[in-house]
Amino acid sequence: MFETELVFFVNGAKVVEAHPDPEITLLTYLRKHLRLTGSKLGCGEGGCGACTVMVSRYDRHTDAISHYSVNACLAPLCSLHGLAVTTVEGIGSCKTRLHPVQEQLAKSHGSQCGFCTPGIVMSMYTLLRNNPQPTRQQIEDSFDGNLCRCTGYRPILQGFNYFAKDACGMGENCCRIQSKGAQNDSTNGDTGHLASVTNGQVTYDSSQEPIFPPELKTMSTFYQSSLKFTTSRVTWYRPVTLDELLEITADFPNAKLVNGNTEIGIETKFKNMHYPVLVAATDIAELNKVQVRTNGITLGASVTLATMDDVFRKAIKDLPEHKTRSLTAFVEMLRWFAGHQIRNVASIGGNIMTASPISDLIPLLMAAAAELTVGCKGEPPRKVKMDGDFLKGYRRTAVHPKEVLLSVYIPFTSEDEYFRGFKQAHRKDDDISIVNAGMMVRFQSGTNVVDDAILAYGGMAPTTVLAKRTMNGMKHQIWDDALLEKTCENLASDLPLVPGSPGGMVEYRRTLATSFFFKFFTDVTQRLQQTTGVSDAVDDIERNVSEGVQLYQAVSDDQDLDDAVGRPLVHTSALLQTTGEAMYTDDMPMTDGELYAAFVFSTKAHANILSVEASEALAMPGVVDFVSFKDIPGLTTFGLAKPDEMEIYASKKVVFQGQIIACILGKTQIEAQRAAKAVKVEYEDLTPIITIEEAIQENSFFNPNFTVTNGDLDLGFRESDHVIEDELRIGPQEHFYLETQVAVAKPTNEEGGMEIISCSQFPSSVQHQVAAALGVPANRIVSRVKRIGGGFGGKETMTSFLVLPVAVAAAKVNRPVRCMLDRDEDIALMGGRHAFLARYKVGFSSSGRLHALDVKLFANCGCSLDLSQGVVSRAVLTVENAYNVPNVRAVGYKCKTNIPSATAFRGFGSPQAMLVGETLMGAIADTVGKAQHEVRHLNLYHEGDLTYYGQVVEDANIRKLWEECMVQSQYLNREKEVEEFNRCHRWKKRGIAFIPTKYCLSYPKSVNFYNQACALVTAYMDGSVLVSHCGTEMGQGLHTKMIQVASRALGISASQVYINDTCTDKIHMTCATAASTGSDLNGGAVQNACEILAKRLNPYRQARPKGTFEDWVKAAYLDRVHLSAAGHYRIEGLDHDPVTNKGRMFNYFTCGVACSEVEIDCLTGDHQVLQTDIVMDVGKSLNPAIDIGQIEGAFMQGYGLYCLEQHKMNPSGSILTRGPGTYKIPGFRNIPVKFNVTLLKDSGNPRAVYSSKGIGEPPLFLASSVFFALKNAIKSARKDEGVTGDFRLDSPATPEKIRMACKDRFTEQFPAAEKGSYKPWFVEL
């Protein structure tokens, strides 16, 4: 008998669902049904952690309650029967009481855009519920399933370290005790008795937490009743006995068993799989049983990976070392297996039966000779060995379809057995393997003669494979260098990969296979010989706990207490963000009659559209209408550079894969998306142009080119002692803002009016483009932005790709329409950072002095021009970075290709161009035989120098910053230490680099009309002030800074000032919040408006000097004085003349210097950033905490660009990296172990508000210090092999590029195939 009612608890409240839908996730239910919008949808695949919640379960056998974090975006609603869910709203609120986790994160400046914040809060909260006194290491480890794109992670970790029992060794003298007390003064909420500060540690009192719902403990039916939930599409079963399970699987042999839904959830959402019968195998006692026996451990198939980890760790602690060598390998592998949220629910059985060719556990299980027990109805259990016959093909095993995996037996190792596991991925944490391996060798007793060996590899074939020839060749052989050489030869033949194999990176993968064995061989050799020293080939690079110091100049003692400028105020929305109460576009409640839009995306990169058939889709449940180009009442195209760049809906031709062809309107998101996938489009293929080289070959460019020349280039080369010519490629980058593009369109039902709520950085552009599409005046359209969950330039113009189709759909049906793109849709539709190819020629003297530079910069702009003219021109104007080059010719080419239109991204072309300039400096130093820092320092700009576009370098402070960073980083001493380390190590190498940056602030003279802003400031009768301005808040703290500006200009406390949103019915023309000008432009406008208002109030202030601001406002009102003031600001003095190439092109320069030290593993390509020191000139900071946060966040985003994030597209134009599973942004463990930031003292800037400087983009390039440190480490490895001189290293410096650049005998085994001789799996754009 099955129960058909779902019962669970959310934040202590009972939820009863009579007819739950098995296809609905917990996240959807929380957000759409319970209106708990604190948990966010960032990816839908359990890869970003924005949806993290805590689930609590009662174990009636042990009378214990367990708490664990899960990804709500994957957790099926039906899996929650009898469980208690806690969301971010359930632990604290600004309206009642803040939880200390929420308060600490906010006050440590650990929340910027805030979209990831609720998930981070819940990960920390869950840790504390399980361990009220964690260590700093445990805190850091707990975030392996969370991502943040804004902060740079350091303030999050540093803030939460207050909870660590090893937070500080200073006891009562800890400096944070006093600072904690000071912070409490500004708390918006009461922390109650949950925390106190003792010896520098926040003492967390878990007894004050909400109790587990008693009903879930007393009602045994929650755990003993079988469940069945049915809809027209899917039936969900939850049996509670093994017999029931076998009965169901016998009746439904194609049923899918579900534990954590970590695989099936992704298959159904992203691969369009449909499973009519789902069976939850989570509540069957036999499948959750763990047995530790004399010879090994048996795990039930439903045992989670987290439980498996705990069991193995206990066994390692309790048993002799030799018995647990395989368990040690499993534990090490599980450290890097997904994140906590996945390991808490994913099962060992699910991992085996999924049979992924890159499963991290199957190679270990095969090497350990694991044995499975399987069963089916009416037959006795059967044993299945995990050997070379276990995997029958891609995702097929020796387990019969009618059988169910019951348990997994893993034998202990013997004294003569040695065991290791290996894994290499793009990112160490939470990443799928490129190649992995499990290795076991057993020796004849008391000898070094091999008795048996198992070498199992994943990532080298469609299944995990055994290197059988190699294994047989090792038997009865002596474990010596001859065996090593022969084994490497045999592995090459055992593990063949033809060029162009799925996954690509063929030479790297084959090199890893032999490199892994070399590590294993070295480890075993040392154990056999019982040597005391450990070869540097054996272990991975260990990471210490993160730490950092931030230094800035405090405000003077005589500054008015109400004057907020220069003070490290907490982000105005930080507390709301940590409690989940901050509202983002998709958090806003749905209105009556609102529909959801789902799009029909092109599946071709370049093709004619022959037909679009929507009849099947229109007949599906919940579908309301179909919208196409035929329904556009006004202009059918849009664009920034010109209005006919792109079609709102493609009509006759598609020019990139992912382009919107049509739209389905449905009552719910899931109904609309299902129907959109049912629309049939017929194409006629056209040849696509994908790469820069293809564009050059086909002469496919957006004209004209952009050229800057200065001096006499020919003379410069003639006078040069040396000339170098080379190329450099800089790959593209996804914005990966945590909040994907989202829009809501609401018709006003009056004269064609419409309100657009979106996440745009450029609300006025949205307003005017929607008006053109609907054929109405712009004054009928209101464009509103509350806050943005990260932008980085990706929401400056790209938002129109979503807003316009949604607005047209809303106009057609005259009903509100909403759409928030899924992560894979966002990546496919919205372009990212431009890929660049640089071809350069540089001339210089024997001393290293630059004489001449001739450079061609080719940018892959994609299918439309968009902002590429500005990106390429800025790249051309900044290729020299911070160095004086007297003779220059720089030409920028805009390549037109069939990929999504590349667009603005933090740095706007400069990060790509500057990497070329710094690459030159390294090559010059190698050529003339001088230290790199000496050559860089020799060529640095001096104050008063002219750039090659004729602007005087002034107030740049670049040389002052250089000297300051030299001292702060102790560069010269550390350079010697690096050299000594490299002398003593062969397979681990370190590198250090010292890199400056000079960033041009403001829009250039050519688009000077963007260099303006306006503001509206209104004083109310109670003395409160409302500020509106052009800028949008996307985490950069712009609203906070504007409040501080208003505070000083009006002479009032920051607490009296409020900013609501950015809206075009208040601000007539909101220039884009971009180019790091937000504070400069809007700050000037707010200052101007406040000064106008203050002037009006001045007579009343003078008449009553001891009065309050409220008194003066009331007096002015009674005297009929206007209490609202409009302000305007524009940058003056940009006078560059393109004919003479002289004058001020930009407003000023923001400069900085960074020193980074790294360590690489030469055998795998892994690396660790050991330390980064940054000294940055921000003028007189408006808010040093926010500026430091911007520096750290920009640095880590730049680290992703140069060292990690690899965009992959196949030759046909299909993006292969569409989510966090395949596209890796930096995680918590990617930050420098020591991360120090200093703001330059006694600086100023006469050309911006209150002497500040823009800071959003300038620090990003400083991350290239890591790139060049990596290159220097590689150089040391090459030197050991006798390979000297400069070499080409393209960006990003992925593990593949690092490993293959470290030339050695293993890389020489696998030379690269000749280009053009095969079709690559992915191409370099």
Side-chain angles (χ1 to χ4, degrees):
M1 187 66 182
F2 294 102
E3 296 285 340
T4 59
E5 190 174 71
L6 177 70
V7 181
F8 64 107
F9 282 72
V10 176
N11 298 332
K14 186 175 182 180
V15 177
V16 179
E17 189 67 34
H19 303 288
D21 185 348
E23 295 181 273
I24 293 293
T25 65
L26 170 60
L27 182 63
T28 299
Y29 192 82
L30 290 173
R31 293 180 58 82
K32 302 302 181 184
H33 294 261
L34 301 183
R35 294 301 309 156
L36 294 172
T37 57
S39 305
K40 308 300 182 189
L41 176 63
C43 68
E45 58 179 88
C48 73
C51 64
T52 302
V53 299
M54 187 181 79
V55 173
S56 303
R57 177 190 295 269
Y58 174 65
D59 188 330
R60 66 185 188 278
H61 301 295
T62 62
D63 191 30
I65 298 166
S66 60
H67 309 290
Y68 53 96
S69 56
V70 305
N71 294 118
C73 71
L74 288 178
L77 176 66
C78 293
S79 70
L80 297 167
H81 189 75
L83 305 181
V85 176
T86 304
T87 72
V88 69
E89 294 96 336
I91 70 170
S93 169
C94 291
K95 300 172 183 175
T96 55
R97 181 184 72 174
L98 291 170
H99 192 278
V101 168
Q102 296 167 324
E103 182 185 24
Q104 192 57 44
L105 182 59
K107 292 186 173 181
S108 299
H109 310 284
S111 180
Q112 289 187 17
C113 89
F115 203 79
C116 67
T117 300
I120 289 170
V121 166
M122 292 311 298
S123 286
M124 184 65 198
Y125 176 77
T126 307
L127 173 65
L128 290 178
R129 291 301 304 267
N130 288 305
N131 183 1
Q133 286 192 309
T135 64
R136 293 167 61 205
Q137 186 66 63
Q138 289 168 333
I139 291 172
E140 195 159 317
D141 290 345
S142 70
F143 297 113
D144 56 5
N146 293 87
L147 294 175
C148 172
R149 195 57 154 164
C150 296
T151 63
Y153 298 111
R154 190 278 312 162
I156 299 171
L157 293 173
Q158 200 155 311
F160 284 153
N161 279 344
Y162 278 71
F163 295 101
K165 62 184 177 183
D166 56 348
C168 182
M170 296 298 292
E172 293 292 342
N173 296 321
C174 176
C175 61
R176 294 181 300 180
I177 298 176
Q178 296 301 320
S179 63
K180 178 69 183 176
Q183 287 176 340
N184 274 339
D185 292 340
S186 59
T187 300
N188 294 324
D190 176 21
T191 58
H193 301 287
L194 284 172
S196 61
V197 181
T198 304
N199 294 337
Q201 177 197 354
V202 174
T203 305
Y204 164 71
D205 186 357
S206 59
S207 68
Q208 300 300 307
E209 293 290 1
I211 63 171
F212 185 78
E215 184 178 346
L216 295 181
K217 296 179 68 174
T218 58
M219 297 289 288
S220 61
T221 55
F222 287 126
Y223 314 102
Q224 297 175 354
S225 300
S226 302
L227 305 175
K228 180 181 178 181
F229 306 127
T230 303
T231 66
S232 60
R233 285 172 47 89
V234 177
T235 298
W236 173 285
Y237 291 94
R238 191 203 73 173
V240 292
T241 67
L242 184 57
D243 288 342
E244 281 184 324
L245 173 63
L246 298 180
E247 183 80 32
I248 293 169
T249 53
D251 292 342
F252 303 100
N254 294 321
K256 276 285 185 179
L257 269 63
V258 183
N259 278 288
N261 201 44
T262 56
E263 183 72 21
I264 293 173
I266 292 173
E267 289 178 344
T268 54
K269 183 170 180 63
F270 297 108
K271 300 180 182 179
N272 301 321
M273 304 295 287
H274 177 228
Y275 301 117
V277 179
L278 298 172
V279 183
T282 53
D283 287 68
I284 297 167
E286 294 91 332
L287 300 190
N288 287 285
K289 194 172 183 180
V290 175
Q291 294 176 294
V292 181
R293 296 179 174 145
T294 305
N295 296 322
I297 297 178
T298 300
L299 303 171
S302 292
V303 168
T304 66
L305 301 184
T307 300
M308 175 182 175
D309 185 53
D310 291 339
V311 170
F312 284 7
R313 286 179 184 273
K314 186 176 187 304
I316 292 168
K317 182 180 178 182
D318 295 344
L319 298 174
E321 180 274 336
H322 72 266
K323 296 185 73 171
T324 62
R325 289 169 184 164
S326 63
L327 305 188
T328 301
F330 277 101
V331 167
E332 177 64 18
M333 187 68 75
L334 287 171
R335 283 182 65 193
W336 316 117
F337 188 110
H340 273 73
Q341 298 93 323
I342 296 294
R343 297 196 298 273
N344 287 334
V345 295
S347 66
I348 177 64
N351 188 272
I352 293 170
M353 296 309 296
T354 298
S356 168
I358 49 174
S359 162
D360 288 338
L361 298 186
I362 289 179
L364 298 183
L365 291 164
M366 293 176 72
E371 186 177 72
L372 309 181
T373 301
V374 299
C376 64
K377 181 183 178 183
E379 296 182 16
R382 181 171 73 94
K383 304 292 185 182
V384 178
K385 292 184 177 180
M386 290 193 70
D387 55 18
D389 297 321
F390 175 67
L391 296 164
K392 300 300 185 182
Y394 179 69
R395 294 187 181 266
R396 293 189 295 113
T397 72
V399 179
H400 301 151
K402 64 179 181 178
E403 292 178 322
V404 173
L405 176 59
L406 303 179
S407 64
V408 184
Y409 170 70
I410 301 171
F412 294 135
T413 47
S414 68
E415 289 192 64
D416 296 309
E417 284 182 27
Y418 297 90
F419 197 103
R420 281 290 299 271
F422 300 94
K423 171 180 178 174
Q424 184 57 43
H426 286 287
R427 187 181 68 202
K428 191 74 173 176
D429 272 350
D430 190 10
D431 195 2
I432 56 177
S433 293
I434 299 170
V435 176
N436 52 32
M439 301 185 185
M440 184 282 297
V441 62
R442 182 171 61 248
F443 294 96
Q444 295 175 12
S445 182
T447 74
N448 65 345
V449 177
V450 176
D451 180 56
D452 194 12
I454 302 176
L455 306 180
Y457 283 91
M460 299 299 294
T463 68
T464 300
V465 292
L466 294 180
K468 293 182 179 179
R469 179 184 172 190
T470 306
M471 290 156 49
N472 289 331
M474 293 170 65
K475 291 181 180 178
H476 313 302
Q477 301 299 308
I478 295 174
W479 190 263
D480 58 12
D481 288 344
L483 178 142
L484 171 64
E485 295 300 323
K486 187 63 176 177
T487 299
C488 289
E489 291 177 14
N490 289 339
L491 282 172
S493 58
D494 258 347
L495 303 171
L497 282 175
V498 299
S501 293
M505 302 179 287
V506 166
E507 295 81 17
Y508 175 50
R509 289 154 68 189
R510 301 188 74 190
T511 300
L512 281 175
T514 54
S515 298
F516 283 168
F517 181 76
F518 176 67
K519 281 176 168 279
F520 181 59
F521 174 84
T522 306
D523 185 18
V524 173
T525 300
Q526 290 182 163
R527 290 173 179 238
L528 287 173
Q529 297 173 351
Q530 297 183 344
T531 55
T532 54
V534 178
S535 167
D536 65 340
V538 173
D539 294 325
D540 292 339
I541 302 170
E542 282 298 320
R543 177 186 172 88
N544 294 324
V545 178
S546 302
E547 57 183 282
V549 175
Q550 305 80 46
L551 299 175
Y552 62 88
Q553 194 167 4
V555 300
S556 62
D557 293 339
D558 58 357
Q559 180 169 317
D560 191 289
L561 292 177
D562 280 340
D563 182 356
V565 170
R567 302 186 190 276
L569 267 60
V570 169
H571 192 293
T572 55
S573 296
L575 291 171
L576 291 171
Q577 289 163 187
T578 61
T579 60
E581 293 167 291
M583 298 293 287
Y584 299 81
T585 302
D586 196 49
D587 297 337
M588 297 178 182
M590 295 184 69
T591 53
D592 184 47
E594 184 172 299
L595 301 175
Y596 205 95
F599 297 116
V600 179
F601 297 101
S602 167
T603 58
K604 304 286 185 178
H606 195 200
N608 291 323
I609 299 173
L610 301 180
S611 66
V612 180
E613 176 54 55
S615 57
E616 180 184 343
L618 286 168
M620 294 176 71
V623 174
V624 175
D625 209 341
F626 172 80
V627 185
S628 71
F629 72 95
K630 299 175 183 178
D631 300 302
I632 302 173
L635 191 63
T636 62
T637 60
F638 67 100
L640 188 71
K642 50 184 182 177
D644 61 348
E645 283 191 73
M646 291 296 299
E647 290 187 294
I648 297 172
Y649 290 108
S651 59
K652 298 179 180 179
K653 181 188 286 189
V654 292
V655 292
F656 71 97
Q657 188 182 120
Q659 186 174 356
I660 293 175
I661 296 173
C663 167
I664 290 289
L665 296 178
K667 294 179 180 178
T668 66
Q669 179 183 19
I670 193 168
E671 289 172 329
Q673 288 180 333
R674 282 179 192 149
K677 292 171 183 175
V679 174
K680 296 179 175 61
V681 182
E682 186 181 356
Y683 302 94
E684 178 188 36
D685 284 335
L686 302 172
T687 303
I689 297 171
I690 305 301
T691 68
I692 290 174
E693 286 86 352
E694 289 171 356
I696 294 172
Q697 181 179 337
E698 298 297 326
N699 195 31
S700 179
F701 298 102
F702 293 105
N703 292 317
N705 301 327
F706 182 76
T707 303
V708 174
T709 60
N710 186 60
D712 189 331
L713 195 66
D714 292 336
L715 178 63
F717 281 118
R718 286 198 302 271
E719 292 181 345
S720 297
D721 299 317
H722 305 277
V723 175
I724 295 174
E725 294 187 64
D726 207 344
E727 291 186 354
L728 181 72
R729 184 184 295 277
I730 303 97
Q733 184 181 27
E734 297 291 347
H735 296 91
F736 217 100
Y737 28 67
L738 266 290
E739 176 200 38
T740 58
Q741 298 276 5
V742 57
V744 181
K746 298 182 178 182
T748 63
N749 298 319
E750 289 188 5
E751 302 182 60
M754 187 173 290
E755 180 184 21
I756 304 293
I757 305 170
S758 74
C759 58
S760 174
Q761 295 175 230
F762 198 172
S764 286
S765 176
V766 167
Q767 174 192 20
H768 285 81
Q769 289 182 345
V770 168
L774 300 187
V776 300
N779 62 7
R780 304 293 199 279
I781 308 299
V782 175
S783 177
R784 186 185 307 277
V785 176
K786 177 62 177 176
R787 61 171 54 83
I788 303 173
F792 318 114
K795 296 173 180 176
E796 183 175 348
T797 59
M798 288 288 105
T799 307
S800 296
F801 279 76
L802 173 68
V803 168
L804 293 173
V806 168
V808 168
K812 180 183 180 182
V813 296
N814 197 32
R815 291 169 65 175
V817 173
R818 175 188 304 240
C819 181
M820 182 176 185
L821 295 178
D822 284 341
R823 177 62 59 185
D824 60 324
E825 296 172 337
D826 189 281
I827 289 178
L829 177 62
M830 306 294 171
R833 190 186 296 277
H834 293 67
F836 269 70
L837 175 66
R839 292 174 176 168
Y840 59 85
K841 177 181 177 182
V842 60
F844 50 96
S845 70
S846 294
S847 66
R849 174 78 68 179
L850 284 164
H851 282 330
L853 174 62
D854 190 5
V855 61
K856 295 178 180 178
L857 299 173
F858 297 89
N860 194 330
C861 302
C863 61
S864 73
L865 187 58
D866 188 63
L867 293 167
S868 293
Q869 178 65 36
V871 169
V872 170
S873 63
R874 182 176 278 265
V876 166
L877 292 168
T878 56
V879 72
E880 96 288 23
N881 188 19
Y883 307 110
N884 194 345
V885 193
N887 305 293
V888 174
R889 178 172 62 200
V891 185
Y893 299 85
K894 301 179 289 294
C895 299
K896 183 179 181 181
T897 58
N898 295 113
I899 69 172
S901 183
T903 189
F905 199 145
R906 198 177 201 165
F908 210 70
S910 288
Q912 298 97 310
M914 290 176 179
L915 196 73
V916 178
E918 288 298 340
T919 298
L920 300 177
M921 303 309 294
I924 292 169
D926 282 345
T927 302
V928 302
K930 296 180 72 172
Q932 292 177 3
H933 72 274
E934 292 178 1
V935 172
R936 289 186 164 99
H937 186 261
L938 175 68
N939 289 284
L940 273 182
Y941 277 117
H942 289 83
E943 292 285 315
D945 284 348
L946 282 179
T947 66
Y948 58 88
Y949 47 86
Q951 180 167 338
V952 177
V953 176
E954 56 185 355
D955 297 320
N957 294 320
I958 188 66
R959 288 183 171 263
K960 184 177 179 181
L961 289 160
W962 181 280
E963 299 304 329
E964 180 83 11
C965 193
M966 271 281 172
V967 174
Q968 293 272 11
S969 66
Q970 298 182 323
Y971 174 79
L972 296 177
N973 289 337
R974 286 170 54 205
E975 186 180 44
K976 293 176 183 177
E977 293 170 359
V978 166
E979 290 173 358
E980 178 62 20
F981 178 92
N982 290 341
R983 188 184 64 80
C984 299
H985 294 79
R986 172 59 190 92
W987 300 109
K988 299 287 194 305
K989 293 292 183 181
R990 289 184 179 178
I992 190 169
F994 200 86
I995 302 294
T997 188
K998 174 185 67 67
Y999 194 85
C1000 311
L1001 256 292
S1002 82
Y1003 293 97
K1005 172 63 165 57
S1006 57
V1007 288
N1008 203 17
F1009 53 86
Y1010 281 133
N1011 286 315
Q1012 61 174 318
C1014 51
L1016 182 66
V1017 177
T1018 302
Y1020 292 93
M1021 299 290 283
D1022 61 355
S1024 63
V1025 172
L1026 179 66
V1027 173
S1028 299
H1029 58 86
C1030 292
T1032 56
E1033 176 58 61
M1034 48 191 161
Q1036 83 280 42
L1038 178 60
H1039 285 354
T1040 308
K1041 286 185 173 182
M1042 295 306 94
I1043 287 172
Q1044 291 175 273
V1045 169
S1047 164
R1048 171 172 286 186
L1050 291 174
I1052 60 176
S1053 166
S1055 63
Q1056 295 175 254
V1057 187
Y1058 179 69
I1059 298 176
N1060 184 28
D1061 58 13
T1062 307
C1063 190
T1064 57
D1065 63 357
K1066 296 193 286 282
I1067 300 297
H1068 74 281
M1069 184 61 194
T1070 61
C1071 290
T1073 307
S1076 302
T1077 62
S1079 295
D1080 290 2
L1081 299 178
N1082 295 290
V1086 169
Q1087 181 184 9
N1088 177 239
C1090 289
E1091 287 174 350
I1092 292 170
L1093 184 58
K1095 186 176 181 180
R1096 294 176 188 165
L1097 293 174
N1098 197 44
Y1100 308 97
R1101 188 189 298 259
Q1102 292 177 344
R1104 193 176 173 186
K1106 293 186 178 181
T1108 64
F1109 188 74
E1110 179 181 354
D1111 297 331
W1112 305 326
V1113 169
K1114 285 180 177 178
Y1117 173 76
L1118 295 174
D1119 215 11
R1120 295 174 298 170
V1121 170
H1122 187 31
L1123 294 175
S1124 186
H1128 182 262
Y1129 175 80
R1130 65 181 186 181
I1131 291 174
E1132 302 286 359
L1134 302 195
D1135 57 3
H1136 184 269
D1137 184 344
V1139 177
T1140 63
N1141 196 30
K1142 292 291 187 292
R1144 186 179 290 274
M1145 176 76 76
F1146 299 97
N1147 195 26
Y1148 60 88
F1149 302 109
T1150 295
C1151 298
V1153 178
C1155 173
S1156 289
E1157 182 181 347
V1158 303
E1159 183 175 330
I1160 67 171
D1161 185 330
C1162 301
L1163 290 166
T1164 64
D1166 256 343
H1167 76 268
Q1168 187 64 253
V1169 186
L1170 303 178
Q1171 182 170 335
T1172 292
D1173 296 89
I1174 296 173
V1175 181
M1176 202 81 202
D1177 178 16
V1178 300
K1180 293 188 185 301
S1181 175
L1182 295 175
N1183 185 317
I1186 285 176
D1187 285 345
I1188 289 171
Q1190 287 292 288
I1191 293 166
E1192 293 168 334
F1195 181 90
M1196 288 311 298
Q1197 201 164 60
Y1199 169 83
L1201 169 65
Y1202 297 125
C1203 305
L1204 180 62
E1205 298 175 38
Q1206 188 171 24
H1207 180 285
K1208 296 179 182 178
M1209 178 177 283
N1210 72 16
S1212 300
S1214 179
I1215 298 174
L1216 302 171
T1217 45
R1218 297 193 178 200
T1222 50
Y1223 186 83
K1224 295 300 172 180
I1225 70 171
F1228 277 81
R1229 285 199 184 101
N1230 290 114
I1231 68 172
V1233 177
K1234 294 182 179 179
F1235 199 179
N1236 304 319
V1237 177
T1238 299
L1239 303 186
L1240 186 67
K1241 294 192 300 182
D1242 301 322
S1243 181
N1245 177 29
R1247 301 189 62 83
V1249 60
Y1250 295 134
S1251 297
S1252 62
K1253 286 190 174 184
I1255 195 60
E1257 295 167 291
L1260 186 140
F1261 181 68
L1262 294 178
S1264 70
S1265 60
V1266 177
F1267 177 88
F1268 290 107
L1270 290 170
K1271 191 172 183 180
N1272 289 336
I1274 296 168
K1275 193 175 297 181
S1276 176
R1278 293 165 67 92
K1279 183 179 178 182
D1280 286 354
E1281 290 291 319
V1283 182
T1284 58
D1286 191 48
F1287 62 97
R1288 177 174 167 179
L1289 182 65
D1290 289 339
S1291 171
T1294 59
E1296 175 195 12
K1297 291 175 184 170
I1298 294 171
R1299 175 64 187 98
M1300 300 311 289
C1302 292
K1303 300 293 186 182
D1304 54 46
R1305 53 179 163 160
F1306 304 115
T1307 61
E1308 289 174 1
Q1309 276 187 283
F1310 309 107
E1314 184 179 348
K1315 286 187 176 181
S1317 64
Y1318 65 97
K1319 183 179 180 180
W1321 189 70
F1322 67 88
V1323 294
E1324 300 282 358
L1325 294 183

